[in-house]
Amino acid sequence: MTTPQELFERHRATLDQAVAASRQRGYWSPFAEMPSPRVYGETAAADGETAFKARLNKLFHLDQPAAGGFIGAERSPFGFDLGVTYPKPDLDALLAAAKTAMPGWRKAGPDGRAGVCVEILTRLNARSFEIANAVQHTTGQAFMMAFQAGGPHAQDRGLEAVTYGWKAMTDQVPSARWEKPQGKNPPLVMDKVFEVVPRGVAVMIGCATFPTWNGYPGLFASLVTGNAVIVKPHPAAILPLAITVEICRAVLGEAGLDPNLVTLAADSADAPIAKDLATRPEVALIDFTGSSEFGNWLEQNARQAQVFTEKAGVNTVVIDSTDDPKGMARNLAFSLSLYSGQMCTTPQVIFVPKDGIRAGGEPLSFDQVVQAIAGATDKFLSDAERAVEVLGAIQSDATLKRLQDAHGLGAVALASRKLDHPKFADARVHTPLILVLDAKDEEAYGQELFGPISMIVKVDGTEDALARATTLARGKGALTAALYSTDRNTIAAAQDAFTEAGVALSVNLTGGVFVNQSAAFSDFHGTGANPACNAALCDLAFVAGRFRVVQTRVPAAA
Amino acid sequence: MTTPQELFERHRATLDQAVAASRQRGYWSPFAEMPSPRVYGETAAADGETAFKARLNKLFHLDQPAAGGFIGAERSPFGFDLGVTYPKPDLDALLAAAKTAMPGWRKAGPDGRAGVCVEILTRLNARSFEIANAVQHTTGQAFMMAFQAGGPHAQDRGLEAVTYGWKAMTDQVPSARWEKPQGKNPPLVMDKVFEVVPRGVAVMIGCATFPTWNGYPGLFASLVTGNAVIVKPHPAAILPLAITVEICRAVLGEAGLDPNLVTLAADSADAPIAKDLATRPEVALIDFTGSSEFGNWLEQNARQAQVFTEKAGVNTVVIDSTDDPKGMARNLAFSLSLYSGQMCTTPQVIFVPKDGIRAGGEPLSFDQVVQAIAGATDKFLSDAERAVEVLGAIQSDATLKRLQDAHGLGAVALASRKLDHPKFADARVHTPLILVLDAKDEEAYGQELFGPISMIVKVDGTEDALARATTLARGKGALTAALYSTDRNTIAAAQDAFTEAGVALSVNLTGGVFVNQSAAFSDFHGTGANPACNAALCDLAFVAGRFRVVQTRVPAAA
């Protein structure tokens, strides 16, 4: 057995670096993002695939309280059933077990808990290939993205949550001597102890597109602060989180702690349990990523809990001018294509002035801007074998239907095409649809259309574009915004406007940084300052309410 | 004009000390708690009284948006009408003015805002005598307490909120360069700006007993984090907060900022505005101190806002054993008498084993323990002239009626007596009532009875007492708990039990520290971990959600 305190000593240097990184917000990551054999081991890729395949068409055993029976009906968007089934949860038993497990976890203390959490993340990192396969074949992400976003980048976000939680819990000393002068009389002297206590049972409700990247922050923020966590995956993406729960439980058990601090509550689309679970009085914390509709429901109805939501919105791009039109078009083409636009950060609306823009010192008409973006996208995806490694597959029937229905919303600048996947015959691969709409068509472009659907909207000018973009952000929410402008005053005005609207802004991206990507320890994902989400990944507000400090004071022995 | 940045430079050293104190939690206060002429000036006491008297029977002018008309009907618990009237608020106009004022305040930045807030607190400190008179003659506190709790201690709590807000806002750098290695290729380099933005309009709803001490934390936490604050005092205690608002507005104006960042919304008991104001969509933050009933209403109904509440509960004392029975009895006598028990931290229930306790090595029967406490209280208050300076006056008719009705709840160990105040003929001064009840009478002792009503409850033993005390804390809430025990294991068990129940515990207080007192920068007031309050004064959770961070990123110039 390795004690929590020993794990803390083992990972202390990482935690210290992580705290510094969270403050300095430069580039930092302890987990290698390239699936390189030199880092992960010569056999890691093959081992991970083998481990994944060994999971298929089997029961996934977890030694946790269960009702009996198994459920699960995941299907890979690349065209096959996973056939994995999971223990059917008994919510009463899971909640009771979670409560029983917490006092021992509290006593491990902030340092011990942080040590255990970093150990879990380190184990998750070693299993990145297995998890990447699981992410790929539940979300439809292409392998490289499934590895990076589902593995090391998700682990980064998990570590970030551990870091903020540890930083917040240790903001005050664990004990202190208080000595108040009394003039000529002896001072009053008290010894005080400040103990961090959990809020209660936490529930993490996963999403279908980024089960680990969006799930780990809430899971680890709640866990490190002393709470037990019940993981409720999306029915379409259970496996990556089931593996995660398995690893959490193994590390907890090896550290002499109760594994029931982390349990899995899988459900099916036919018999969802999230509403029942989320409104249980024992549940004090909820993390949710998914639809605005259910996120808003949780915020309104799970009144007994603190609810952290990452929902959706309408992300916009404002094109004012550029000195690199080709770089701009290439950059946008990648952003619109990546994982078929199934990211909550993908731009949906691109505002372009009706009279065109200045591009590299030359005028570019509205139609030319449209053509540049559509053309760059088409060209970028012209080689199907390469394209499928960017696009991945469409995760859900609903997104595919939305894509098909969207063709009628405007003039088609680039139609969506079905691509054949060279390795998976039944993979659901479709290129992005790009439409052209008029500013007055806000009913069409101002609704959230999750998936590979983008709309270039003709506006009066940049001022009009900024006004529309920030109004949409305030009304519908936005996780990202982008601006292209060569004018310093326009950039300043846009920065001010998007800051007031609570949207993170990326300016003049023409190279290898993309508006829909967000790096842990540097970029805050979401702001919590518009309807797209009520929390940011990851800041002090994300962790500070997950625990309480309870003090005891005793007169100091004379 | 002194700019916010200049005010920050002026107060930088104080803020740095305050941050260190908030972490170390030893004794620290920048504001002198003794009303000494050497600290506050030879004429300060007389000047303060004169300033207070000059307010009486006049309109209180505030140059803020108003509907026209004045309201106000405060009456001193020491027996005279204040006759002060305040501008009748126009909520639409106040909210609009608040929103207009915020962008400029955001741009003052975390440092500038902290500088302005500490300047306000410094000005409030200089006006401590005037505010002490206003607190005395609205709350009924005796002068010394009104000075200390209403002046320097309230300012300490305000500074603590400023400190936590500043610490949280500056947890990350304001800007950073992000440089991601790309193997043999040049790195990706981005310049990032992280701007702190407010949540919206804040409302601080004051209480009748500690308008400044309980009001300043929310006021300053919201203000320093960039929000405008509308101050809604209790109709019985407007004047201390009206003076506070006046000073806030003066400092803001002198710093070139919009004074409408802090406005007063006074109301009357006949036409309360708190529910209307609290549920306005513009309101994003609410701080409330007062009844559990209205606090719970706010938590349930002000869904658009983050709601921070300090409510009420049933505070308990568990007596197991003591080596200083006289010190214990004297200490409890003071705690029960101070401000006639009108503190949310005053003990209400004292559990004593039916078979008595060990006291100084000798047995003390249950009846002897009761007699020790009742006798010490009676003796402590035997000199009326001294007693009124501890008891103060009963703040409300409701508390007086509650005291009178409570005599029937149990056997009377010490009856409440009406005392004549040597200076104020109509002052409402009453000594505490001490009753004896049986463990089975939980319906009587387990209800919150705010005011000078204490109940000594006969229990089976210490274990029974701890179980009852922690069950009450979990069900009804508690802000404090106290234990007397000479046994190390009993102390450890009690610490564990009260920690799990989320109640701050004071052990073996026999000298000059009292269970109902709580020192800023060392003691957390409330935990947020039981129904007595959902927030603690003051921790990171109290401030971290009051602002958001919005980033802008731009490729670094080559």
Side-chain angles (χ1 to χ4, degrees):
Chain A
M1 191 183 99
T2 314
T3 67
Q5 189 59 35
E6 285 164 348
L7 293 172
F8 174 68
E9 297 304 333
R10 180 185 298 175
H11 297 297
R12 172 83 202 229
T14 300
L15 281 162
D16 285 339
Q17 281 183 286
V19 167
S22 76
R23 297 203 151 111
Q24 297 308 316
R25 306 208 76 82
Y27 171 77
W28 186 75
S29 167
F31 300 117
E33 71 176 0
M34 295 309 292
S36 155
R38 272 168 304 172
V39 177
Y40 285 93
E42 291 302 326
T43 63
D47 293 349
E49 194 177 351
T50 302
F52 166 71
K53 286 186 173 161
R55 302 276 191 190
L56 301 180
N57 303 307
K58 289 211 181 65
L59 305 181
F60 193 112
H61 280 289
L62 280 168
D63 182 24
Q64 65 174 38
F70 285 79
I71 50 168
E74 292 159 289
R75 179 175 171 79
S76 172
F78 294 94
F80 59 90
D81 290 327
L82 269 57
V84 189
T85 55
Y86 307 88
K88 196 169 174 188
D90 173 345
L91 295 190
D92 290 334
L94 289 184
L95 287 162
K99 291 192 77 164
T100 302
M102 277 194 285
W105 188 225
R106 163 168 79 79
K107 288 172 187 170
D111 289 352
R113 290 195 296 271
V116 170
C117 286
V118 182
E119 177 65 18
I120 292 170
L121 287 161
T122 305
R123 303 274 190 102
L124 287 169
N125 181 248
R127 300 274 283 278
S128 290
F129 281 94
E130 179 185 355
I131 291 170
N133 278 278
V135 168
Q136 174 175 11
H137 291 296
T138 48
T139 67
Q141 292 175 23
F143 179 79
M144 179 61 99
M145 185 178 195
F147 181 88
Q148 294 190 331
H153 292 174
Q155 294 144 18
D156 282 346
R157 284 287 178 196
L159 179 60
E160 191 183 53
V162 172
T163 301
Y164 271 91
W166 185 57
K167 180 161 76 167
M169 287 188 293
T170 56
D171 182 69
Q172 72 287 323
V173 291
S175 63
R177 176 157 289 194
W178 176 86
E179 191 161 337
K180 182 175 179 179
Q182 297 293 293
K184 293 170 201 154
N185 296 318
L188 299 172
V189 189
M190 300 286 287
D191 285 328
K192 304 187 181 187
V193 171
F194 305 99
E195 184 142 9
V196 171
V197 302
R199 291 297 295 271
V201 180
V203 171
M204 188 278 274
I205 303 176
C207 68
T209 46
F210 291 92
T212 58
W213 196 97
N214 277 104
Y216 286 0
L219 165 60
F220 284 99
S222 286
L223 191 61
V224 76
T225 49
N227 307 280
V229 185
I230 297 176
V231 175
K232 208 302 286 177
H234 191 285
I238 302 172
L239 186 57
L241 290 176
I243 298 169
T244 301
V245 168
E246 187 186 65
I247 293 170
C248 290
R249 294 175 62 84
V251 174
L252 287 162
E254 289 167 31
L257 295 155
D258 188 334
N260 288 330
L261 288 165
V262 182
T263 54
L264 184 76
D267 66 353
S268 64
D270 303 338
I273 60 170
K275 286 188 178 183
D276 182 19
L277 180 57
T279 50
R280 291 286 298 241
E282 299 94 330
V283 172
L285 296 162
I286 296 171
D287 287 86
F288 168 77
T289 306
S291 71
S292 293
E293 189 190 349
F294 193 56
N296 292 338
W297 187 92
L298 286 169
E299 290 175 18
Q300 290 302 312
N301 291 280
R303 308 300 306 280
Q304 86 294 351
Q306 282 204 32
V307 179
F308 299 87
T309 59
E310 296 285 324
K311 298 173 291 188
V314 178
N315 303 316
T316 56
V317 179
V318 172
I319 301 182
D320 168 76
S321 51
T322 179
D323 53 16
D324 180 5
K326 283 185 181 165
M328 176 182 82
R330 272 198 312 264
N331 188 283
L332 286 173
F334 183 86
S335 282
L336 303 185
S337 303
L338 185 62
Y339 186 28
S340 303
Q342 299 172 105
M343 301 174 74
C344 54
T345 51
T346 304
Q348 175 176 313
V349 177
I350 302 172
F351 289 111
V352 178
K354 66 180 191 308
D355 296 331
I357 64 166
R358 299 287 295 176
E362 302 290 321
L364 211 61
S365 73
F366 175 84
D367 288 344
Q368 286 172 314
V369 175
V370 170
Q371 192 39 51
I373 296 168
T377 306
D378 199 33
K379 185 176 167 198
F380 177 61
L381 301 172
S382 56
D383 176 347
E385 204 162 331
R386 276 178 48 204
V388 298
E389 297 303 331
V390 173
L391 292 167
I394 301 294
Q395 185 267 324
S396 74
D397 292 337
T399 298
L400 188 58
K401 181 167 188 311
R402 197 179 305 116
L403 169 61
Q404 287 156 349
D405 293 350
H407 280 75
L409 290 174
V412 174
L414 184 69
S416 174
R417 292 180 295 126
K418 184 168 186 344
L419 296 188
D420 289 331
H421 196 293
K423 285 193 271 184
F424 300 101
D426 294 331
R428 193 153 61 178
V429 184
H430 296 261
T431 65
L433 165 67
I434 301 180
L435 298 168
V436 176
L437 288 87
D438 198 78
K440 69 172 171 21
D441 304 327
E442 189 172 320
E443 206 174 317
Y445 69 77
Q447 61 181 314
E448 193 217 350
L449 291 165
F450 188 77
I453 304 160
S454 295
M455 289 167 280
I456 303 178
V457 175
K458 188 185 283 191
V459 289
D460 284 347
T462 300
E463 208 172 313
D464 185 29
L466 288 175
R468 289 175 185 278
T470 52
T471 301
L472 272 178
R474 284 199 173 85
K476 302 294 177 71
L479 282 157
T480 63
L483 169 75
Y484 290 90
S485 178
T486 58
D487 180 60
R488 181 176 301 215
N489 292 333
T490 301
I491 294 173
Q495 179 172 353
D496 203 53
F498 282 111
T499 299
E500 283 283 331
V503 191
L505 175 65
S506 297
V507 181
N508 292 336
L509 299 183
T510 55
V513 174
F514 303 96
V515 65
N516 33 353
Q517 294 181 330
S518 157
F521 293 101
S522 183
D523 294 316
F524 292 103
H525 173 72
T527 65
N530 70 56
C533 52
N534 78 358
L537 306 178
C538 187
D539 60 11
L540 286 173
F542 190 67
V543 298
R546 294 181 196 252
F547 64 91
R548 294 299 186 189
V549 180
V550 181
Q551 70 175 56
T552 303
R553 56 183 187 179
V554 188
Chain B
M1 190 183 100
T2 314
T3 66
Q5 190 59 37
E6 286 165 348
L7 292 172
F8 174 68
E9 298 304 333
R10 181 185 295 174
H11 297 297
R12 172 84 203 227
T14 300
L15 281 163
D16 286 339
Q17 281 182 287
V19 167
S22 76
R23 297 201 152 111
Q24 295 309 316
R25 305 207 77 83
Y27 172 77
W28 186 75
S29 166
F31 301 117
E33 71 175 3
M34 296 308 291
S36 155
R38 270 167 304 173
V39 176
Y40 285 92
E42 291 300 326
T43 63
D47 293 350
E49 193 176 352
T50 302
F52 166 72
K53 287 186 171 161
R55 302 277 191 189
L56 301 180
N57 303 306
K58 289 212 182 63
L59 306 181
F60 193 113
H61 281 287
L62 280 169
D63 182 23
Q64 68 175 35
F70 286 79
I71 51 169
E74 291 158 290
R75 180 175 171 79
S76 171
F78 293 94
F80 59 92
D81 290 326
L82 268 56
V84 189
T85 54
Y86 306 88
K88 199 170 170 184
D90 174 343
L91 295 190
D92 289 333
L94 288 185
L95 287 163
K99 291 192 77 165
T100 303
M102 277 193 286
W105 189 224
R106 164 168 77 80
K107 288 172 188 171
D111 289 353
R113 289 195 297 272
V116 170
C117 287
V118 181
E119 178 66 18
I120 292 170
L121 287 161
T122 305
R123 303 274 190 101
L124 287 169
N125 181 249
R127 299 276 283 278
S128 291
F129 281 94
E130 180 184 354
I131 291 170
N133 278 277
V135 169
Q136 175 175 12
H137 292 295
T138 49
T139 67
Q141 291 174 22
F143 179 79
M144 180 61 98
M145 185 180 195
F147 181 88
Q148 294 190 331
H153 292 174
Q155 294 143 19
D156 282 346
R157 285 285 179 198
L159 179 60
E160 191 183 52
V162 171
T163 302
Y164 272 90
W166 185 58
K167 180 162 73 167
M169 288 188 291
T170 56
D171 181 68
Q172 73 287 323
V173 291
S175 63
R177 177 158 288 195
W178 176 85
E179 191 163 337
K180 183 176 179 179
Q182 296 292 294
K184 295 170 199 154
N185 296 317
L188 299 172
V189 189
M190 301 286 288
D191 284 329
K192 305 188 181 186
V193 172
F194 305 99
E195 184 141 10
V196 171
V197 302
R199 290 296 296 270
V201 179
V203 171
M204 189 276 274
I205 303 176
C207 68
T209 48
F210 291 91
T212 58
W213 196 97
N214 277 105
Y216 286 179
L219 166 59
F220 283 99
S222 286
L223 191 60
V224 76
T225 49
N227 308 281
V229 185
I230 298 176
V231 175
K232 208 304 287 175
H234 190 284
I238 303 172
L239 187 57
L241 291 176
I243 297 170
T244 301
V245 168
E246 186 185 66
I247 292 170
C248 290
R249 294 175 60 83
V251 174
L252 288 162
E254 288 167 31
L257 295 156
D258 189 333
N260 288 331
L261 288 164
V262 182
T263 54
L264 184 77
D267 65 353
S268 64
D270 302 339
I273 60 170
K275 287 188 179 183
D276 183 18
L277 181 56
T279 50
R280 290 287 297 241
E282 301 93 330
V283 172
L285 296 161
I286 296 170
D287 287 88
F288 167 77
T289 306
S291 71
S292 294
E293 189 190 350
F294 193 56
N296 292 338
W297 187 91
L298 286 169
E299 290 175 19
Q300 291 299 315
N301 291 280
R303 309 300 305 280
Q304 85 295 350
Q306 282 204 31
V307 179
F308 299 88
T309 58
E310 296 285 324
K311 299 174 289 187
V314 177
N315 303 316
T316 57
V317 179
V318 173
I319 301 182
D320 168 78
S321 52
T322 179
D323 53 16
D324 181 5
K326 284 185 180 166
M328 175 182 83
R330 272 197 312 264
N331 188 283
L332 286 173
F334 183 86
S335 283
L336 303 185
S337 302
L338 185 63
Y339 186 29
S340 301
Q342 299 172 104
M343 301 174 74
C344 53
T345 50
T346 304
Q348 176 177 312
V349 176
I350 303 172
F351 290 110
V352 178
K354 65 182 194 306
D355 296 331
I357 64 167
R358 298 288 297 176
E362 301 292 320
L364 211 60
S365 73
F366 177 83
D367 288 342
Q368 285 172 315
V369 175
V370 171
Q371 191 40 50
I373 296 169
T377 307
D378 198 34
K379 185 178 168 197
F380 177 61
L381 301 171
S382 58
D383 176 347
E385 202 161 333
R386 277 177 47 205
V388 298
E389 298 303 330
V390 173
L391 293 168
I394 301 293
Q395 186 268 325
S396 73
D397 292 339
T399 298
L400 189 58
K401 180 167 189 309
R402 197 178 304 118
L403 169 63
Q404 286 157 349
D405 293 350
H407 279 75
L409 291 175
V412 175
L414 185 68
S416 175
R417 292 179 295 125
K418 182 163 186 347
L419 295 189
D420 289 330
H421 196 293
K423 285 193 271 184
F424 300 101
D426 295 332
R428 195 153 60 180
V429 185
H430 297 260
T431 63
L433 166 67
I434 301 179
L435 298 168
V436 175
L437 288 86
D438 197 79
K440 70 173 172 14
D441 305 327
E442 190 172 319
E443 205 174 319
Y445 69 76
Q447 61 180 317
E448 193 216 350
L449 291 166
F450 188 77
I453 304 160
S454 296
M455 289 169 280
I456 302 177
V457 174
K458 187 185 284 192
V459 289
D460 283 348
T462 300
E463 207 172 315
D464 184 28
L466 287 175
R468 289 176 185 278
T470 53
T471 301
L472 271 178
R474 283 199 173 84
K476 302 294 178 72
L479 283 156
T480 63
L483 168 75
Y484 290 90
S485 178
T486 57
D487 179 62
R488 183 177 299 216
N489 292 333
T490 301
I491 294 173
Q495 180 172 353
D496 202 55
F498 282 110
T499 299
E500 283 284 331
V503 191
L505 175 66
S506 297
V507 181
N508 291 337
L509 299 183
T510 55
V513 174
F514 303 95
V515 66
N516 35 352
Q517 293 181 328
S518 156
F521 293 101
S522 183
D523 294 317
F524 292 103
H525 174 71
T527 64
N530 70 57
C533 53
N534 77 358
L537 305 178
C538 187
D539 61 11
L540 285 173
F542 190 68
V543 298
R546 295 181 195 253
F547 64 91
R548 294 298 185 189
V549 179
V550 182
Q551 70 175 57
T552 303
R553 56 183 186 178
V554 188

